Amino acid sequence: MFEGLFQPMHLLLILVIVLIVFGAGKLPDAAGALGQGIREFKKAANEPVKSDHLASGSRDDPRSGGRGTK
């Protein structure tokens, strides 16, 4: 009988509570902010990672005394 957590009646109840708490006017703003946050997260997740061990042999590395490795 109770197969899953998100049954249609549960989702309807959650929607009604959200409408009561935020009001109909604030929902588009909240949805837009949520979408923008998801886009920024995906963009940051797809950027290449710069790690310190790749830069350890660079000429600008203060740990190597300013000299590059040969």
Side-chain angles (χ1 to χ4, degrees), residues 3 12-14 19 31 36 43 45 53-56 58 61:
E3 300 281 326
L12 185 62
L13 181 65
I14 291 171
L19 281 173
Q36 183 179 4
K43 180 181 174 186
H53 70 79
L54 293 176
S56 62
S58 69
D61 190 9

Side-chain angles (χ1 to χ4, degrees), residues 9-58:
M9 199 61 185
H10 292 150
L11 294 175
L12 185 62
L13 181 65
I14 291 171
L15 180 63
V16 168
I17 291 172
V18 168
L19 281 173
I20 290 171
V21 171
F22 292 110
K26 296 283 184 177
L27 285 180
D29 296 335
L34 180 65
Q36 183 179 4
I38 292 172
R39 281 190 302 273
E40 289 178 9
F41 177 78
K42 286 182 179 180
K43 180 181 174 186
N46 289 331
E47 288 181 359
V49 178
K50 296 179 182 177
S51 61
D52 289 333
H53 70 79
L54 293 176
S56 62
S58 69

